[in-house]
Amino acid sequence: MQKPHFHIRPEGLNIISLTVLATLVFSLLGWAIFSIIGLVAFFFALNFFRDPERVTPDAPGVAVAPADGRVVKVETMQDPFTGEQRTTICIFMNVFNVHVNRFPLTGTVRDISYHPGKFVNASLDKASLDNERCALHFEDEDSRTWTMVQIAGLLARRIVCYAETGDKLSRGQRFGLIKLGSRVDLYLPQGYESTVIVGDKTIAGQSIIARKNDSAPGST
Protein backbone atom coordinates (compact mmCIF):
# COMPACT_ATOMS: atom_id res chain seq x y z
CA MET A 1 0.00 0.00 0.00
CA GLN A 2 1.32 3.41 -0.96
CA LYS A 3 2.14 5.65 2.00
CA PRO A 4 0.83 9.22 1.74
CA HIS A 5 3.43 11.97 1.40
CA PHE A 6 2.67 15.62 2.05
CA HIS A 7 4.40 18.36 0.12
CA ILE A 8 4.04 22.13 -0.02
CA ARG A 9 3.44 23.92 -3.31
CA PRO A 10 6.28 26.31 -4.24
CA GLU A 11 3.69 29.04 -4.93
CA GLY A 12 3.09 29.24 -1.19
CA LEU A 13 6.68 29.36 0.06
CA ASN A 14 6.86 33.17 0.06
CA ILE A 15 3.68 33.52 2.08
CA ILE A 16 4.71 30.78 4.51
CA SER A 17 8.15 32.38 4.97
CA LEU A 18 6.56 35.78 5.66
CA THR A 19 4.28 34.34 8.34
CA VAL A 20 7.27 32.62 10.00
CA LEU A 21 9.30 35.84 9.93
CA ALA A 22 6.42 37.92 11.27
CA THR A 23 5.79 35.45 14.10
CA LEU A 24 9.48 35.49 15.10
CA VAL A 25 9.63 39.29 15.06
CA PHE A 26 6.47 39.63 17.14
CA SER A 27 7.80 37.06 19.62
CA LEU A 28 11.12 38.90 19.99
CA LEU A 29 9.24 42.15 20.58
CA GLY A 30 7.09 40.48 23.22
CA TRP A 31 3.84 41.11 21.37
CA ALA A 32 1.95 38.00 22.46
CA ILE A 33 -1.33 38.65 20.64
CA PHE A 34 0.38 39.41 17.33
CA SER A 35 2.61 36.36 17.80
CA ILE A 36 -0.47 34.16 18.16
CA ILE A 37 -2.04 35.76 15.06
CA GLY A 38 1.18 35.15 13.13
CA LEU A 39 1.26 31.52 14.26
CA VAL A 40 -2.34 31.01 13.20
CA ALA A 41 -1.56 32.59 9.81
CA PHE A 42 1.44 30.25 9.44
CA PHE A 43 -0.64 27.12 10.04
CA PHE A 44 -3.37 28.43 7.72
CA ALA A 45 -0.85 29.03 4.91
CA LEU A 46 0.77 25.65 5.52
CA ASN A 47 -2.63 23.96 5.36
CA PHE A 48 -3.72 25.84 2.26
CA PHE A 49 -0.63 25.10 0.18
CA ARG A 50 -0.31 21.43 1.16
CA ASP A 51 -0.06 18.98 -1.70
CA PRO A 52 -0.65 15.38 -0.57
CA GLU A 53 -0.01 12.41 -2.83
CA ARG A 54 -3.08 10.61 -4.10
CA VAL A 55 -3.77 7.05 -5.24
CA THR A 56 -5.43 7.41 -8.65
CA PRO A 57 -7.70 4.55 -9.78
CA ASP A 58 -6.58 2.77 -12.96
CA ALA A 59 -10.01 1.43 -13.98
CA PRO A 60 -10.82 2.06 -17.67
CA GLY A 61 -13.59 4.42 -18.72
CA VAL A 62 -13.69 6.62 -15.63
CA ALA A 63 -12.89 10.27 -14.85
CA VAL A 64 -11.63 11.39 -11.46
CA ALA A 65 -12.33 14.62 -9.62
CA PRO A 66 -10.18 17.57 -10.72
CA ALA A 67 -10.53 19.18 -7.29
CA ASP A 68 -11.05 18.53 -3.61
CA GLY A 69 -14.34 19.92 -2.37
CA ARG A 70 -18.09 19.52 -2.56
CA VAL A 71 -20.28 18.96 -5.62
CA VAL A 72 -22.56 22.01 -5.85
CA LYS A 73 -24.14 21.34 -9.23
CA VAL A 74 -24.70 18.51 -11.71
CA GLU A 75 -26.62 20.09 -14.56
CA THR A 76 -26.68 20.56 -18.31
CA MET A 77 -24.68 23.67 -19.19
CA GLN A 78 -23.32 25.26 -22.36
CA ASP A 79 -19.74 24.27 -23.13
CA PRO A 80 -17.68 27.49 -23.38
CA PHE A 81 -15.63 26.10 -26.27
CA THR A 82 -18.12 24.19 -28.42
CA GLY A 83 -21.42 25.78 -27.44
CA GLU A 84 -22.89 22.30 -26.91
CA GLN A 85 -25.18 21.51 -24.02
CA ARG A 86 -23.29 19.06 -21.81
CA THR A 87 -23.67 17.45 -18.41
CA THR A 88 -21.47 19.51 -16.11
CA ILE A 89 -20.12 18.69 -12.66
CA CYS A 90 -19.24 21.73 -10.54
CA ILE A 91 -16.96 21.26 -7.51
CA PHE A 92 -16.60 24.06 -4.95
CA MET A 93 -13.40 24.33 -2.90
CA ASN A 94 -13.49 26.18 0.41
CA VAL A 95 -10.39 27.69 2.06
CA PHE A 96 -9.72 24.48 4.01
CA ASN A 97 -9.60 22.16 0.99
CA VAL A 98 -6.45 21.16 -0.87
CA HIS A 99 -6.38 23.57 -3.84
CA VAL A 100 -4.12 21.62 -6.20
CA ASN A 101 -6.08 20.65 -9.32
CA ARG A 102 -5.59 17.34 -11.10
CA PHE A 103 -6.41 16.08 -14.58
CA PRO A 104 -9.59 13.91 -14.69
CA LEU A 105 -8.26 11.40 -17.25
CA THR A 106 -5.46 10.91 -19.74
CA GLY A 107 -5.77 13.38 -22.59
CA THR A 108 -4.14 16.02 -24.76
CA VAL A 109 -4.76 19.74 -24.24
CA ARG A 110 -6.10 21.26 -27.47
CA ASP A 111 -6.85 24.80 -26.33
CA ILE A 112 -6.59 27.05 -23.25
CA SER A 113 -8.59 30.22 -22.79
CA TYR A 114 -8.17 32.72 -19.93
CA HIS A 115 -10.93 35.22 -19.09
CA PRO A 116 -10.43 38.07 -16.59
CA GLY A 117 -13.52 38.81 -14.54
CA LYS A 118 -15.14 39.37 -11.18
CA PHE A 119 -14.67 37.55 -7.88
CA VAL A 120 -18.18 36.69 -6.69
CA ASN A 121 -18.86 33.63 -4.57
CA ALA A 122 -17.74 30.65 -6.68
CA SER A 123 -20.68 28.52 -5.52
CA LEU A 124 -23.17 30.83 -7.27
CA ASP A 125 -24.50 30.07 -10.76
CA LYS A 126 -23.24 33.32 -12.28
CA ALA A 127 -19.64 32.54 -11.28
CA SER A 128 -19.18 30.36 -14.39
CA LEU A 129 -19.92 33.40 -16.58
CA ASP A 130 -18.81 36.42 -14.53
CA ASN A 131 -15.73 35.33 -12.58
CA GLU A 132 -12.09 35.19 -13.58
CA ARG A 133 -11.55 31.75 -15.08
CA CYS A 134 -9.21 29.56 -17.11
CA ALA A 135 -10.79 27.02 -19.45
CA LEU A 136 -9.03 23.96 -20.88
CA HIS A 137 -10.32 22.04 -23.90
CA PHE A 138 -8.80 18.56 -24.21
CA GLU A 139 -9.20 15.29 -26.07
CA ASP A 140 -9.10 11.86 -24.43
CA GLU A 141 -7.63 8.68 -25.85
CA ASP A 142 -10.98 7.83 -27.51
CA SER A 143 -10.97 11.20 -29.35
CA ARG A 144 -13.78 12.54 -27.16
CA THR A 145 -13.49 16.22 -26.28
CA TRP A 146 -13.80 17.53 -22.72
CA THR A 147 -13.81 20.98 -21.19
CA MET A 148 -12.63 21.92 -17.71
CA VAL A 149 -12.82 25.41 -16.19
CA GLN A 150 -10.92 26.76 -13.18
CA ILE A 151 -12.99 29.56 -11.64
CA ALA A 152 -11.69 32.09 -9.12
CA GLY A 153 -13.87 32.70 -6.08
CA LEU A 154 -14.75 35.42 -3.60
CA LEU A 155 -11.28 35.46 -2.00
CA ALA A 156 -9.23 33.91 -4.79
CA ARG A 157 -7.06 36.33 -6.71
CA ARG A 158 -4.87 34.07 -8.78
CA ILE A 159 -5.47 31.08 -11.03
CA VAL A 160 -2.40 28.96 -11.74
CA CYS A 161 -2.38 26.62 -14.75
CA TYR A 162 0.77 24.63 -15.52
CA ALA A 163 -0.65 22.99 -18.65
CA GLU A 164 0.08 24.29 -22.14
CA THR A 165 -1.55 23.61 -25.49
CA GLY A 166 -0.28 20.30 -26.88
CA ASP A 167 0.57 18.82 -23.49
CA LYS A 168 -0.49 15.22 -22.84
CA LEU A 169 -1.45 14.72 -19.21
CA SER A 170 -2.23 11.55 -17.32
CA ARG A 171 -5.23 10.86 -15.13
CA GLY A 172 -4.58 12.36 -11.69
CA GLN A 173 -1.62 14.49 -12.83
CA ARG A 174 -1.35 17.96 -11.29
CA PHE A 175 -2.13 20.73 -13.75
CA GLY A 176 -2.71 23.81 -11.60
CA LEU A 177 -4.20 25.39 -8.51
CA ILE A 178 -6.41 28.29 -7.46
CA LYS A 179 -5.50 30.36 -4.43
CA LEU A 180 -8.28 30.47 -1.79
CA GLY A 181 -11.96 29.55 -2.23
CA SER A 182 -12.79 28.63 -5.81
CA ARG A 183 -14.46 26.16 -8.17
CA VAL A 184 -13.74 23.72 -11.00
CA ASP A 185 -16.35 22.77 -13.62
CA LEU A 186 -16.00 19.61 -15.73
CA TYR A 187 -18.07 19.32 -18.94
CA LEU A 188 -18.61 15.67 -19.87
CA PRO A 189 -18.64 14.44 -23.48
CA GLN A 190 -21.38 12.28 -24.94
CA GLY A 191 -20.96 8.72 -23.70
CA TYR A 192 -20.06 9.66 -20.12
CA GLU A 193 -22.42 10.12 -17.21
CA SER A 194 -21.96 11.56 -13.74
CA THR A 195 -21.51 9.18 -10.80
CA VAL A 196 -21.89 11.93 -8.18
CA ILE A 197 -24.78 14.05 -6.91
CA VAL A 198 -25.02 17.47 -5.30
CA GLY A 199 -23.54 17.40 -1.81
CA ASP A 200 -20.99 14.65 -2.47
CA LYS A 201 -17.43 15.29 -1.26
CA THR A 202 -14.61 14.74 -3.74
CA ILE A 203 -10.86 14.10 -3.52
CA ALA A 204 -8.83 15.36 -6.48
CA GLY A 205 -7.19 12.62 -8.53
CA GLN A 206 -8.87 9.91 -6.49
CA SER A 207 -12.69 10.16 -6.42
CA ILE A 208 -14.44 8.78 -9.50
CA ILE A 209 -17.01 11.36 -10.63
CA ALA A 210 -17.93 10.14 -14.13
CA ARG A 211 -18.03 6.85 -15.95
CA LYS A 212 -18.33 5.78 -19.57
CA ASN A 213 -21.84 4.63 -20.40
CA ASP A 214 -21.40 1.41 -22.37
CA SER A 215 -24.96 1.68 -23.73
CA ALA A 216 -24.34 5.11 -25.28
CA PRO A 217 -23.81 5.37 -29.05
CA GLY A 218 -20.16 5.10 -29.96
CA SER A 219 -19.12 3.55 -26.65
CA THR A 220 -16.57 0.78 -26.71
Side-chain angles (χ1 to χ4, degrees):
M1 179 176 178
Q2 181 178 347
K3 295 182 179 180
H5 296 279
F6 291 87
H7 306 286
I8 300 299
R9 295 307 303 169
E11 293 85 357
L13 294 180
N14 288 341
I15 296 176
I16 294 170
S17 298
L18 285 174
T19 60
V20 171
L21 179 61
T23 302
L24 290 174
V25 171
F26 293 148
S27 298
L28 292 174
L29 293 174
W31 298 352
I33 294 178
F34 288 102
S35 297
I36 293 173
I37 294 174
L39 194 61
V40 171
F42 165 71
F43 281 111
F44 176 81
L46 201 65
N47 178 73
F48 181 83
F49 288 105
R50 71 194 189 279
D51 183 14
E53 294 295 339
R54 298 287 166 75
V55 179
T56 301
D58 57 3
V62 300
V64 297
D68 283 30
R70 179 174 60 89
V71 178
V72 294
K73 185 190 297 186
V74 181
E75 293 181 5
T76 300
M77 296 170 58
Q78 186 177 30
D79 188 306
F81 280 100
T82 67
E84 297 174 296
Q85 294 295 320
R86 296 190 176 197
T87 299
T88 308
I89 302 170
C90 305
I91 300 173
F92 176 73
M93 297 174 281
N94 63 41
V95 295
F96 300 107
N97 290 130
V98 173
H99 273 59
V100 176
N101 299 144
R102 293 173 178 262
F103 224 58
L105 77 173
T106 299
T108 302
V109 178
R110 296 305 184 195
D111 196 6
I112 298 176
S113 179
Y114 171 78
H115 303 272
K118 302 177 182 179
F119 298 97
V120 301
N121 190 329
S123 64
L124 300 178
D125 289 345
K126 62 181 180 179
S128 61
L129 298 176
D130 293 346
N131 279 23
E132 177 181 346
R133 57 201 183 277
C134 181
L136 291 85
H137 194 54
F138 59 97
E139 185 177 285
D140 65 19
E141 294 178 310
D142 295 324
S143 299
R144 289 183 170 90
T145 58
W146 300 64
T147 294
M148 182 166 50
V149 186
Q150 296 173 287
I151 303 173
L154 183 64
L155 299 176
R157 288 298 183 270
R158 187 185 175 199
I159 293 175
V160 179
C161 180
Y162 311 130
E164 297 180 353
T165 301
D167 285 351
K168 182 173 182 179
L169 287 82
S170 301
R171 181 193 296 170
Q173 184 175 345
R174 299 169 179 84
F175 77 90
L177 65 92
I178 316 173
K179 294 185 176 181
L180 300 181
S182 43
R183 184 174 121 188
V184 177
D185 294 351
L186 181 64
Y187 295 75
L188 307 183
Q190 183 180 9
Y192 273 78
E193 58 187 16
S194 171
T195 59
V196 293
I197 59 174
V198 173
D200 283 352
K201 300 292 181 64
T202 62
I203 300 175
Q206 188 165 313
S207 301
I208 294 175
I209 63 170
R211 189 181 301 275
K212 186 186 295 186
N213 181 358
D214 291 334
S215 64
S219 295
T220 56

